[in-house]
Amino acid sequence: AAKSAGKRQWSRFVPGLRVRVTERHDLRARLDRAISREEFALRYQPVVDITGGQVIGFEALARWPQGRCGPVPPGQFIPLAEETGHIAPLGAWVLRNAVADMARLQRTAGRGLAPYISVNVSGRQWQDADFLEEVSKAVETPGLAPGSLQLELTESVLLHRDDRLDRVIRSLKELGVRIAVDDFGTGFSSLRYLRDFPVDTLKLDKTYIDDIPRDPRQAALVHGIVCLARTLGLQIIAEGIEQRGQRDLLTSMGCRFGQGFLFARPLTVEQSAVALRKHYGGGPGPALR
Ligand code: C2E
Ligand code: MG
Ligand code: MG
Ligand code: MG
């Protein structure tokens, strides 16, 4: 009783804190229900050749549209799902649906169009025992063009190299899965993993791109990273391009690919099909470099 009285007192003095804790608890319960009822949705943001706007792939982005106070952003529910252990089933759902949508897109696009589908995989999922099994099922999705699945991981996953991770990455490569490093440059700053792992793509974080038109040092840094990627034979994708000035600078630096609101926002499958018909730019493989 004394304890709860203490809590009440606390909440009287710091109302904001108490609200946040309650909201969090509530969010957790709703996440539980949302997983079991599959209340999530996917959007697809085109990855484009920034010189001409041609679509070379799509990134699947999870959405939770029907939170009680409207949509809940992934920046909120993904970390929560990681904490509660929900990320494994949620991640599996994303993977299954993203490849199914992409197989359908590739089929209806016709003419051998094979954009790739890039799926975010959180650190926790890599630890999951069923992860490889789910990926191998995903690449066998009927109608999915070979080599068109890419998985995005963050630098932190590659930081702690061990036999298990080596094995997982090797198996993924054998399945023809491309590996991308997401939010490149924001994690712990060791670059050794670029030597140790067969990474295909670097996705340069938006925070690196934002200021390049105004900040010469930032621009020089980005230019250096673009050169590094090209020297290593990696595809580099600039994230979060919003302005023409950014695009033009990136082009002059030799960065060919990007994502951002300047080109397209995350789209529904139907909108993706339209974008694909209008602006297709080459399937997976060497053309991507
Ligand atoms: P991310 O993987 O780095 O995805 C890029 C984020 O940048 C997306 O936010 C996208 O909508 C946003 N974005 C793209 N272009 C622009 C731009 O020009 N300007 C601005 N301001 N933003 C842009 P979103 O969809 O809110 O996702 C946020 C993060 O949540 C993702 O960052 C990713 O880390 C995570 N996430 C989303 N879906 C999934 C998922 O299915 N699984 C996992 N594990 N994480 C996911
Ligand atoms: Mg991503
Ligand atoms: Mg990113
Ligand atoms: Mg990001």
Side-chain angles (χ1 to χ4, degrees):
K3 221 175 171 187
S4 66
K7 253 190 217 153
R8 263 197 302 278
Q9 196 119 26
W10 178 247
S11 68
R12 212 176 321 140
F13 286 107
V14 194
L17 181 72
R18 171 134 185 152
V19 167
R20 252 178 281 132
V21 169
T22 318
E23 257 175 16
R24 218 177 141 64
H25 182 81
D26 194 40
L27 198 60
R28 204 180 270 243
R30 284 191 288 130
L31 183 64
D32 242 338
R33 275 197 304 276
I35 301 257
S36 57
R37 296 182 195 165
E38 305 207 352
E39 289 174 358
F40 295 91
L42 289 175
R43 292 292 177 271
Y44 299 96
Q45 187 178 35
V47 180
V48 303
D49 182 330
I50 65 174
T51 54
Q54 301 93 336
V55 177
I56 62 161
F58 293 90
E59 176 177 7
L61 294 162
R63 294 290 177 263
W64 185 7
Q66 40 200 18
R68 200 180 47 198
C69 314
V72 186
Q76 224 167 37
F77 70 80
I78 296 288
L80 189 65
E82 278 168 358
E83 249 177 66
T84 57
H86 285 109
I87 195 67
L90 178 56
W93 181 89
V94 168
L95 183 62
R96 249 188 347 261
N97 284 275
V99 289
D101 280 344
M102 183 47 64
R104 206 151 7 96
L105 266 185
Q106 289 176 344
R107 217 163 35 233
T108 55
R111 292 176 290 145
L113 302 193
Y116 69 79
I117 180 72
S118 202
V119 177
N120 292 285
V121 179
S122 83
R124 277 289 192 82
Q125 272 175 275
W126 290 86
Q127 307 295 330
D128 195 78
D130 299 330
F131 175 62
L132 262 183
E133 174 79 27
E134 281 155 9
V135 177
S136 56
K137 264 197 215 128
V139 297
E140 282 163 15
T141 302
L144 187 74
S148 56
L149 175 62
Q150 174 169 279
L151 298 179
E152 299 190 7
L153 49 78
T154 51
E155 290 167 298
S156 57
V157 172
L158 297 174
L159 212 59
H160 306 288
R161 188 178 189 193
D162 58 26
D163 290 347
R164 187 175 177 276
L165 184 62
D166 278 351
R167 227 174 17 251
V168 170
I169 302 249
R170 215 176 322 118
S171 309
L172 291 175
K173 298 310 291 181
E174 278 161 16
L175 290 170
V177 174
R178 298 170 57 89
I179 311 260
V181 179
D182 200 1
D183 306 335
F184 179 75
T186 60
F188 194 75
S189 61
S190 165
L191 292 176
R192 187 179 303 150
Y193 65 80
L194 292 180
R195 180 197 69 193
D196 291 345
F197 293 109
V199 163
D200 300 283
T201 300
L202 298 184
K203 301 191 71 174
L204 187 53
D205 195 70
K206 179 177 186 302
T207 53
Y208 278 74
I209 308 303
D210 283 340
D211 278 339
I212 54 171
R214 289 165 299 277
D215 184 346
R217 283 178 74 83
Q218 182 66 20
L221 190 56
V222 169
H223 194 181
I225 294 170
V226 171
C227 291
L228 171 76
R230 291 171 63 108
T231 308
L232 290 171
L234 305 177
Q235 177 184 73
I236 182 141
I237 296 173
E239 297 194 274
I241 305 174
E242 293 178 345
Q243 305 154 16
R244 280 197 210 110
Q246 294 168 334
R247 177 199 57 196
D248 296 343
L249 256 175
L250 286 163
T251 306
S252 74
M253 293 172 184
C255 176
R256 242 188 98 190
F257 302 106
Q259 272 172 269
F261 296 170
L262 178 66
F263 305 100
R265 289 186 177 255
L267 309 172
T268 63
V269 194
E270 294 75 22
Q271 293 168 325
S272 301
V274 175
L276 193 56
R277 269 196 298 277
K278 278 197 197 148
H279 306 292
Y280 180 65
L288 292 179
R289 292 265 141 88

